[in-house]
Amino acid sequence: MWKRIWLTLEMIKFEHSVFAMPFALTGALLAIRHSGLSARAAWGKIGWIVVAMVGARSAAMAFNRLIDARIDARNPRTRMRHLPAGVLSRGFTWGFVTVSALVFLFAAGALNPLCFRQAPAAAWIAIRGSLDPRILWLTAAVTFWTGGFDVIYACQDYEFDSAEGLFSLPRRLGIAGALRVARLFHVLMVACLLALVYGLGLGALSLAGVAAVTGLLIYEHSLVKANDLSRVDAAFFTMNGYVSMLFFVFWAADVLWKS
């Protein structure tokens, strides 16, 4: 059992939860600044936010592997993933999805009723119990960021997607066109972050964080070219980890400094 759980965590790249976690914690800190919560109550809510995020991401990633297992089995790049290779069974993976989803729902319910019913901007809702439209700029920023680096990653499968007739942006637009879409998404991410800085009246440290993120994204896009995708892993895994961590460091420092 423990071996299968470990293999499942390996399959879903559990360690990459770090990608999204800093954005959720930033949303929580922004909400705490406006809520007047005590330190003890705030830490309790942050703990449930972490549990909810891990549960939601684990369920989603394992579900994605299940849905794509047959396609992965035909793709030379992915045929050795755990499900196509027979390392894990579909039944066990479905059980993992179910348990992870229940953990997510339990943690969301432990936060407040609105958080249980509604996911967008959930870290803010988890703290405040209400939705401020301004925080949706952060939701949009994370959406564009994720969409951008997923498009970059998908370029690796251009030939396979074309042969299989799959509905992917690289297949529809070509690799060069897909990379332009990824750049556009990341420009929109930066624009959303700037709108959030303005909307919440944040300071110079938050702007410095946006500048740092922008620089990292420019470097990330310099690593991949339409005729050379050999550094996609560095762009996808390494740089996106730096983006999320640097963003959190600067924005958390801004919130804590003002507090």
Side-chain angles (χ1 to χ4, degrees):
M1 173 65 73
W2 289 113
K3 181 180 178 180
R4 286 188 290 175
I5 292 173
W6 178 262
L7 287 170
T8 306
L9 295 178
E10 182 181 73
M11 176 181 71
I12 65 172
K13 302 291 185 185
F14 182 78
E15 66 276 14
H16 292 165
S17 300
V18 71
F19 281 14
M21 192 69 70
F23 287 95
L25 295 179
T26 300
L29 287 176
L30 291 171
I32 289 170
R33 189 184 71 162
H34 291 271
S35 68
L37 278 178
S38 68
R40 182 176 180 180
W43 279 113
K45 285 184 175 291
I46 287 174
W48 281 118
I49 289 170
V50 171
V51 172
M53 277 215 62
V54 169
R57 183 191 178 277
S58 298
M61 287 296 295
F63 181 77
N64 183 62
R65 289 288 185 261
L66 280 165
I67 297 303
D68 284 348
R70 291 184 177 84
I71 295 174
D72 287 344
R74 299 195 298 270
N75 186 341
R77 186 180 68 82
T78 59
R79 63 175 49 144
M80 294 310 296
R81 285 178 174 171
H82 295 59
L83 285 171
V87 176
L88 283 170
S89 70
R90 293 180 64 86
F92 183 84
T93 307
W94 274 116
F96 181 86
V97 169
T98 302
V99 171
S100 297
L102 290 173
V103 168
F104 163 61
L105 292 172
F106 181 82
L111 285 161
N112 59 64
L114 181 60
C115 196
F116 181 76
R117 296 194 302 268
Q118 186 171 324
W124 178 285
I125 295 171
I127 299 294
R128 300 290 302 276
S130 61
L131 175 62
D132 187 323
R134 294 174 296 176
I135 202 63
L136 293 179
W137 286 116
L138 182 59
T139 303
V142 175
T143 301
F144 285 125
W145 174 56
T146 305
F149 68 66
D150 269 352
V151 170
I152 292 173
Y153 195 73
C155 287
Q156 298 176 104
D157 294 323
Y158 168 73
E159 293 181 2
F160 175 78
D161 290 354
S162 298
E164 292 282 322
L166 300 180
F167 298 102
S168 70
L169 278 177
R171 182 224 167 188
R172 285 291 186 91
L173 305 177
I175 295 176
L179 291 177
R180 284 194 290 271
V181 170
R183 287 193 288 271
L184 173 62
F185 282 174
H186 285 159
V187 168
L188 291 172
M189 173 202 180
V190 172
C192 289
L193 291 178
L194 290 173
L196 184 61
V197 170
Y198 174 77
L200 292 180
L202 299 173
L205 285 172
S206 291
L207 286 172
V210 175
V213 166
T214 302
L216 287 173
L217 289 174
I218 291 171
Y219 179 66
E220 178 179 334
H221 284 276
S222 75
L223 295 176
V224 289
K225 297 176 175 59
N227 59 355
D228 182 10
L229 299 175
S230 61
R231 303 179 75 184
V232 164
D233 280 355
F236 184 82
F237 296 114
T238 306
M239 295 312 301
N240 283 310
Y242 289 148
V243 165
S244 60
M245 294 305 297
L246 266 181
F247 170 81
F248 178 70
V249 167
F250 277 100
W251 281 52
D254 194 327
V255 171
L256 294 173
W257 177 264
K258 289 195 172 187
S259 298

